[in-house]
Amino acid sequence: MPIACLAWGSDGHKMMAKIAEDYLDNHVKDSIRYYLGGEDFPDCSVWMDEIKSDSTYDYMFQYHYINIPEGEEYRPTENPNIVNQLQAVIERLQHREGRTKEEIAVDIKILVHLMGDLHQPLHAGYAVDRGGNDVKVSFVGEESNLHKVWDIDIIEDQRINIDSCYKWLGDYSVKEEKTDIVKWMKESRNNLKPAYEDVRNGKVDKTYVLKYKPLIEQRLLQSGLRLSNILNEVFA
Ligand SMILES: [Zn+2]
């Protein structure tokens, strides 16, 4: 798929959606299946990337991330960034009476995808290098960029899968956690600086990969668990 890498690759998105699905209440699963009209839940997590080649959806381009200049703190704005979009989509799903099945299906797909993106540190990055897309690096000898290292390269190289994410389950029980999109974005942002600083001479080496593998597994798990909580609450 020759689409620019701007999110966890499809593996990451589907993994977190599968984790969320494991924790959905049965009647919530039924509701979601009804709205998605037979489309597989984990598959719906990549819809927002699939439509990037369709100009009808260009207005959604900025939904996937938030840019904050280096050294600055988050300030609320009216921009169509990931924080505002997630808050808006949850709000719309909570008040879905009178909206069409198709509109609700689109909102489910937006929610599932953006909850994944929110947990990837490079999605709370800097505009100047487009969230690391313009930071050329060699990934264990192969040409890549810092954004792709986090979206895809480490996941593939280390064969990160649902089971390896679930290893961390004991540390990440989030059942009682309140939905807080800004807080979760700031967690990603806190990992951003080290993600840049640990690249030495343009090289992402094995030490880097092994250092951040657990973090990626934890973020995928956390995002899946949090997504299930949101959906269980919204469709209760
Ligand atoms: Zn995305």
Side-chain angles (χ1 to χ4, degrees), residues 48-101:
M48 283 193 82
D49 284 335
E50 288 166 357
I51 51 147
K52 276 179 181 156
S53 48
D54 180 346
S55 58
T56 330
Y57 293 103
D58 279 356
Y59 67 94
M60 288 191 181
F61 195 78
Q62 294 177 69
Y63 291 14
H64 298 253
Y65 56 87
I66 182 168
N67 285 323
I68 305 169
E70 198 172 351
E72 286 186 24
E73 293 292 316
Y74 167 75
R75 275 175 300 107
T77 63
E78 299 287 304
N79 299 336
N81 61 43
I82 189 166
V83 169
N84 291 339
Q85 290 307 321
L86 270 168
Q87 288 169 340
V89 82
I90 292 168
E91 180 83 21
R92 287 200 301 274
L93 286 170
Q94 276 164 341
H95 305 282
R96 61 189 175 280
E97 317 74 38
R99 302 183 59 238
T100 68
K101 191 179 164 192

Side-chain angles (χ1 to χ4, degrees), residues 10-148:
S10 62
D11 286 353
H13 277 290
K14 287 181 188 179
M15 259 185 265
M16 73 72 82
K18 185 77 196 59
I19 289 167
E21 195 179 35
D22 286 348
Y23 286 86
L24 290 180
D25 298 335
N26 279 331
H27 69 280
V28 173
K29 224 182 267 183
D30 290 343
S31 294
I32 291 172
R33 198 173 295 139
Y34 163 77
Y35 288 117
L36 292 179
E39 189 180 346
D40 183 59
F41 182 76
D43 285 352
C44 93
S45 68
V46 294
W47 176 80
M48 283 193 82
D49 284 335
E50 288 166 357
I51 51 147
K52 276 179 181 156
S53 48
D54 180 346
S55 58
T56 330
Y57 293 103
D58 279 356
Y59 67 94
M60 288 191 181
F61 195 78
Q62 294 177 69
Y63 291 14
H64 298 253
Y65 56 87
I66 182 168
N67 285 323
I68 305 169
E70 198 172 351
E72 286 186 24
E73 293 292 316
Y74 167 75
R75 275 175 300 107
T77 63
E78 299 287 304
N79 299 336
N81 61 43
I82 189 166
V83 169
N84 291 339
Q85 290 307 321
L86 270 168
Q87 288 169 340
V89 82
I90 292 168
E91 180 83 21
R92 287 200 301 274
L93 286 170
Q94 276 164 341
H95 305 282
R96 61 189 175 280
E97 317 74 38
R99 302 183 59 238
T100 68
K101 191 179 164 192
E102 288 70 28
E103 287 170 336
I104 293 167
V106 166
D107 278 345
I108 292 171
K109 294 176 198 184
I110 293 175
L111 173 65
V112 176
H113 183 87
L114 295 187
M115 275 298 287
D117 284 353
L118 185 73
H119 286 73
Q120 207 272 50
L122 277 293
H123 282 255
Y126 314 129
V128 291
D129 63 18
R130 301 188 306 125
N133 274 288
D134 295 336
V135 179
K136 300 250 170 294
V137 296
S138 101
F139 177 80
V140 215
E142 301 281 330
E143 258 182 51
S144 191
N145 69 67
L146 192 58
H147 194 100
K148 181 166 169 277

Side-chain angles (χ1 to χ4, degrees), residues 136-140 198-205 208:
K136 300 250 170 294
V137 296
S138 101
F139 177 80
V140 215
D198 287 331
V199 178
R200 312 246 187 254
N201 304 317
K203 288 194 175 75
V204 171
D205 57 13
Y208 187 104

